[in-house]
Amino acid sequence: MPSSAMPESGLPALQEPPATRSSTSPRSILLWTCVALLGAVAWGVVALARGERISAVWLVVAALGSYAIAYRFYSRFIARRVLQPDDRRATPAERLDDGVDFQPTDRRVLLGHHFAAIAGAGPLVGPVLAAQMGYLPGTLWIVAGVIFAGAVQDMVVLFLSMRRDGKSLGQMARDEIGRAGGAAALIAVFAIMIILLGVLALVVVNALAHSPWGTFSVAMTIPIALFMGLWMHRVRPGRVVETSLIGVALLLLAIAGGSWVQNSSLAGTFTLSPTTLVFCLIGYGFVASVLPVWMLLAPRDYLSTFMKIGTIALLAVGVVFAAPTLQADAVSKFAGSGAGPVFAGSLFPFLFITIACGALSGFHALVASGTTPKLIQKESQVRMIGYGAMLMESFVAIMALIAAATLDPGLYYAMNAPAGLLGTTAESASHAVAGLGFTITPDQLTQAARAVEEQTLIARSGGAPTLAVGMSEIFSTIFGGTAMKAFWYHFAIMFEALFILTTVDAGTRVGRFMLQDMLGNVCKPLGRVNFKPGIWLCSGLVVAAWGYFLHSGATDPLGGINQLFPLFGIANQLLAAIALTVCTTVLVKSGRLRWAWVTGAPLAWVTAITFTAGWQKIFSSDPKIGFFAQRDHYADALDAGQVLAPAKTTADMHTVVTNSTVDGVLIALFLLLVAVVIGNAAVVCVRALRSATPLPNTEAPYVESRIDAPGLPAEPLVGARP
Amino acid sequence: MNTRRWMRAVRWYLRELTGEAEYDRYCERHRHHHPLAPVPTRREYQVLRTLHQETRSHSRCC
């Protein structure tokens, strides 16, 4: 077996880690001891507080302390021992610099790009739903998951892709694992993206249904984006910063204007049912994918990036200064029983698939193996960009969890349980919440809705409205008081909807490109990126696919989020399993078996949770958990001529039967695809270990770097290129 | 003085992050490779950039 210290390239690289300054100065030791102590004390407070309410600040300190330690020590260990980046080696950005796709970019700028690409609505939604199990399990998973799995995946994939000229995850799977594994990975990526878009769009639908204020302000983002597009393209070409600032100002005006619309005669026009919103979104998705990028997609992306960074910073400030008290239990009774109303199933494995983004998200592997690796200036920067950006996303997830956990549990369940359980009136919802073991009076429920100027907060599942109420509580204690509560609520709704619509736009386009690429093998013209009928056909197919899930979710009597979110979580984590399999295979193939646990351990964990969850979703005999048990339950009732609650009509019963069949089959398909990838990879690893000579290397050849900017010394503030 | 430096840094970062500064680099590059050819105007560059965006896609995660 080759020695573990052999660099992947097999080139005369460093045997010893680069001679960086060893920072064991007394000051550094003191500083890191303090950080460790502070983090440990915060964890102690969080862990030992039983039966008393603690401040959310402890969660923030515990998380930040852990991130700092992990970044300083674990990511450095991965860089020095496992990946061994070499700053004397030219990155693809330098070697292939074309000023467009490949160009060395300042690491701080690239961190911003990468963060904007990986962080969206995911880390905001998952933790809110997972708050059903209490804040402690979620916090532990978010922090431990990101340190040992999520950030590791992002960093290693980024590094491997960078060493391979920015190859995509699918290409790397094919090159490293083989044709079967590669094809399975490609299909899995496409299918997972469709589910993801459907579920995210469902979050928007649930947030905007029957809310004229929210619908108006989100609808206004379309003319605002069109205006920005025209301004940037025709009037003041290329002036992105000023255009974005104008856009943000218009956006704030639109949010304020929503309040006026709500109380005007226009309110009826913007009060839409979920089904209407579904068709609006499907239509929008198609148009956005077909229109030129500069008109809608690009400006919306800028707007979303500005809002993202601004609001997240604001939320961090808000949590620290408002220091809200956590109202939820540390560990709720649903963690053990698995009978929670928000999503069914016990803590293991369902907590770990509900919180994907923020802890471990397979989707990041697509970003880390696409645009970002082509822009890295120096190899050692993968640590800051890959590991660091993921830690930032994890922090966003912690803040979302805090926002949900500071809500009164009664209100939380009144908002997040399925509509079928809660009914439509404040009385029925209050009664249902009491049945779950929590209290909220009908009056309190009406008051809560009135405070944010919504008609109702009952059964506003999907996470976005809950987070918005939590954010409005936090923001209004600092900025503007109760009078501003409704504004902040709709600000938060708008902020999430904006992210999601950006993801929907971009995702539909990515899906269209993938489909065109696949269909191009069958029919040549369809593969051409500027062949209009091909664009329309493929866009239509992609939109129809996610539109199907969106529609079935919005009309599902059992609650679309309740049914589809596990599917989304499993899909996302399975993508992580594929990415970690690729990473582990490369480590083994390149003679680093000794360090293969770095990606192998998270791979084992994610395989365990996804396959357990998938298994339960397929084979569980509990109709609340198992899709096929649910199907049989409802199909038998249909045969007997019964209508089971929460279904109200025979048509509802048929809907449940169809949806559970589709969802069950999909999960089975996903598991099968990932099993193929892992099985194929295992064969390759065994072959690599038995082979006397190393297997062929897929890295780009070594070229000496000419950019003389290793390490941290000041870079001139004149642009990315030195 | 210090505020001014901060403002400059913020402006630099935003221009870089949004890609507004791309044009400056493009011009520099253009002059280097084709010293005699006229440099495209900002408007012309914008058209090129849009064409390029049209044929590429980038993922936005959840």
Side-chain angles (χ1 to χ4, degrees):
Chain A
M1 203 199 322
S3 98
S4 63
M6 194 190 83
E8 200 180 331
S9 58
L11 278 155
L14 312 158
Q15 279 297 319
E16 284 298 304
T20 46
R21 188 176 52 90
S22 172
S23 48
T24 39
S25 66
R27 235 180 92 192
S28 160
I29 294 174
L30 187 70
L31 173 75
W32 287 103
T33 311
C34 288
V35 172
L37 279 176
L38 202 62
V41 168
W43 277 118
V45 172
V46 172
L48 297 176
R50 284 290 168 273
E52 59 198 297
R53 305 273 172 233
I54 59 163
S55 167
V57 173
W58 291 112
L59 286 189
V60 173
V61 174
L64 289 179
S66 310
Y67 297 155
I69 298 280
Y71 184 76
R72 170 63 179 74
F73 295 99
Y74 192 48
S75 76
R76 193 161 108 131
F77 159 79
I78 296 174
R80 287 183 143 200
R81 298 282 166 203
V82 186
L83 301 178
Q84 300 182 349
D86 178 359
D87 278 347
R88 292 176 311 184
R89 183 183 184 129
T91 60
E94 182 185 352
R95 275 187 293 115
L96 308 172
D97 186 355
D98 58 3
V100 189
D101 290 323
F102 293 87
Q103 49 181 331
T105 304
D106 184 284
R107 65 185 192 286
R108 294 158 293 189
V109 174
L110 192 54
L111 178 73
H113 276 301
H114 187 71
F115 176 69
I118 62 170
L124 300 174
V125 173
V128 171
L129 303 180
Q132 152 172 283
M133 301 212 160
Y135 62 81
L136 191 56
T139 308
L140 284 172
W141 164 234
I142 292 171
V143 174
V146 75
I147 290 173
F148 295 108
V152 177
Q153 172 206 260
D154 289 17
M155 177 176 167
V156 177
V157 169
L158 183 60
F159 181 81
L160 297 182
S161 176
M162 176 190 71
R163 279 272 171 106
R164 285 160 184 77
D165 293 347
K167 271 192 190 150
S168 71
L169 183 69
Q171 284 171 316
M172 287 199 287
R174 196 178 51 217
D175 296 350
E176 302 296 337
I177 298 176
R179 290 184 79 89
L186 207 65
I187 299 171
V189 168
F190 183 73
I192 287 164
M193 200 151 72
I194 297 295
I195 299 284
L196 181 128
L197 295 178
V199 172
L200 286 180
L202 182 59
V203 171
V204 173
V205 167
N206 284 357
L208 298 186
H210 306 298
S211 165
W213 185 338
T215 310
F216 169 78
S217 45
V218 172
M220 285 307 286
T221 60
I222 299 171
I224 292 174
L226 288 172
F227 164 77
M228 287 171 65
L230 273 175
W231 186 268
M232 266 189 297
H233 200 69
R234 293 280 153 82
V235 186
R236 299 258 296 159
R239 308 290 179 180
V240 189
V241 176
E242 66 171 45
T243 317
S244 303
L245 293 178
I246 297 174
V248 169
L250 289 174
L251 209 62
L252 294 177
L253 264 180
I255 301 173
S259 168
W260 173 79
V261 167
Q262 177 159 264
N263 299 315
S264 75
S265 55
L266 281 169
T269 321
F270 289 99
T271 310
L272 303 177
S273 72
T275 323
T276 319
L277 279 167
V278 165
F279 288 106
C280 291
L281 269 183
I282 291 176
Y284 166 78
F286 179 76
V287 173
S289 163
V290 176
L291 277 185
V293 194
W294 64 265
M295 279 179 114
L296 205 55
L297 198 146
R300 187 192 272 292
D301 207 28
Y302 293 127
L303 211 52
S304 154
T305 305
F306 270 74
M307 290 287 287
K308 192 176 294 183
I309 294 170
T311 313
I312 287 169
L314 209 61
L315 190 58
V317 171
V319 167
V320 172
F321 283 93
T325 309
L326 300 170
Q327 303 288 332
D329 289 330
V331 182
S332 83
K333 58 179 180 175
F334 299 126
S337 71
V342 184
F343 59 92
S346 51
L347 188 136
F348 181 87
F350 288 101
L351 173 83
F352 304 99
I353 58 162
T354 305
I355 302 181
C357 305
L360 168 63
S361 167
F363 220 79
H364 293 187
L366 302 185
V367 181
S369 65
T371 323
T372 312
K374 296 174 184 162
L375 301 171
I376 295 181
Q377 189 186 26
K378 282 288 171 189
E379 289 203 337
S380 60
Q381 292 167 1
V382 293
R383 184 177 159 209
M384 171 179 163
I385 293 158
Y387 204 93
M390 183 61 196
L391 289 182
M392 284 160 62
E393 191 192 67
S394 177
F395 187 57
V396 176
I398 289 285
M399 289 192 294
L401 187 74
I402 289 174
T406 52
L407 285 191
D408 177 61
L411 180 60
Y412 174 83
Y413 288 106
M415 291 184 74
N416 287 290
L421 184 76
L422 292 166
T424 46
T425 64
E427 284 73 22
S428 66
S430 166
H431 187 70
V433 169
L436 294 169
F438 298 89
T439 42
I440 186 161
T441 63
D443 199 38
Q444 284 171 322
L445 205 45
T446 323
Q447 274 301 325
R450 200 171 295 152
V452 295
E453 293 184 33
E454 282 286 289
Q455 288 171 7
T456 176
L457 288 178
I458 299 165
R460 302 299 292 270
S461 60
T466 312
L467 179 69
V469 172
M471 275 171 74
S472 74
E473 297 269 353
I474 294 170
F475 283 170
S476 63
T477 50
I478 302 181
F479 317 100
T482 30
M484 287 287 279
K485 230 175 180 175
F487 177 84
W488 286 122
Y489 173 86
H490 290 95
F491 176 85
I493 290 282
M494 145 78 88
F495 150 84
E496 283 193 80
L498 193 65
F499 280 10
I500 293 178
L501 292 180
T502 311
T503 306
V504 168
D505 287 1
T508 305
R509 282 181 71 86
V510 173
R512 182 193 105 198
F513 279 107
M514 287 173 74
L515 198 60
Q516 279 188 286
D517 204 36
M518 284 189 247
L519 294 181
N521 296 326
V522 187
C523 168
K524 269 257 149 51
L526 285 180
R528 272 189 273 138
V529 284
N530 46 12
F531 178 60
K532 284 280 190 295
I535 294 177
W536 293 332
L537 176 73
C538 292
S539 300
L541 288 174
V542 172
V543 172
W546 63 253
Y548 169 78
F549 288 102
L550 171 59
H551 185 260
S552 73
T555 53
D556 196 316
L558 301 179
I561 288 290
N562 192 316
Q563 292 287 86
L564 285 176
F565 208 81
L567 196 65
F568 162 67
I570 291 176
N572 198 351
Q573 301 289 49
L574 282 173
L575 202 52
I578 295 179
L580 287 166
T581 304
V582 172
C583 297
T584 312
T585 311
V586 174
L587 289 183
V588 173
K589 278 172 76 175
S590 60
R592 282 175 281 188
L593 179 67
R594 190 178 157 201
W595 303 121
W597 58 266
V598 168
T599 53
L603 170 61
W605 172 250
V606 76
T607 311
I609 54 174
T610 46
F611 278 71
T612 314
W615 185 267
Q616 290 188 12
K617 278 284 165 198
I618 297 170
F619 294 109
S620 169
S621 55
D622 178 357
K624 281 207 166 72
I625 299 175
F627 280 127
F628 291 110
Q630 186 179 71
R631 181 191 184 283
D632 293 344
H633 186 56
Y634 281 83
D636 291 346
L638 255 181
D639 289 342
Q642 295 168 325
V643 174
L644 295 179
K648 291 195 185 70
T649 60
T650 328
D652 279 356
M653 297 288 288
H654 281 290
T655 312
V656 173
V657 171
T658 316
N659 288 355
S660 39
T661 315
V662 171
D663 296 349
V665 168
L666 265 178
I667 288 204
L669 177 76
F670 287 161
L671 291 184
L672 199 69
L673 285 170
V674 176
V676 167
V677 177
I678 295 179
N680 198 344
V683 172
V684 173
C685 287
V686 170
R687 202 189 305 147
L689 293 177
R690 286 195 179 154
S691 159
T693 50
L695 295 188
N697 187 330
T698 50
E699 275 191 357
Y702 180 95
V703 173
E704 178 107 33
S705 171
R706 288 163 174 277
I707 300 179
D708 189 28
L712 300 172
E715 282 164 44
L717 281 183
V718 286
R721 286 157 60 82
Chain B
M1 186 61 204
N2 226 354
T3 1
R4 229 157 140 204
R5 261 187 61 192
W6 267 99
M7 293 288 283
R8 268 227 312 272
V10 168
R11 182 165 174 273
W12 166 82
Y13 192 79
L14 289 180
R15 275 173 53 86
E16 289 292 335
L17 191 69
T18 54
E20 188 172 315
E22 267 173 26
Y23 176 67
D24 307 342
R25 280 203 293 282
Y26 176 80
C27 293
E28 192 187 310
R29 194 186 173 86
H30 191 89
R31 279 190 214 103
H32 182 76
H33 288 287
H34 316 279
L36 299 176
V39 179
T41 62
R42 199 153 196 143
R43 199 172 288 271
E44 285 162 349
Y45 173 72
Q46 194 60 25
V47 174
L48 287 176
R49 188 162 180 257
T50 310
L51 273 177
H52 173 260
Q53 281 180 335
E54 208 62 59
T55 53
R56 299 287 192 290
S57 65
H58 57 277
S59 293
R60 278 280 181 257
C61 181
C62 26

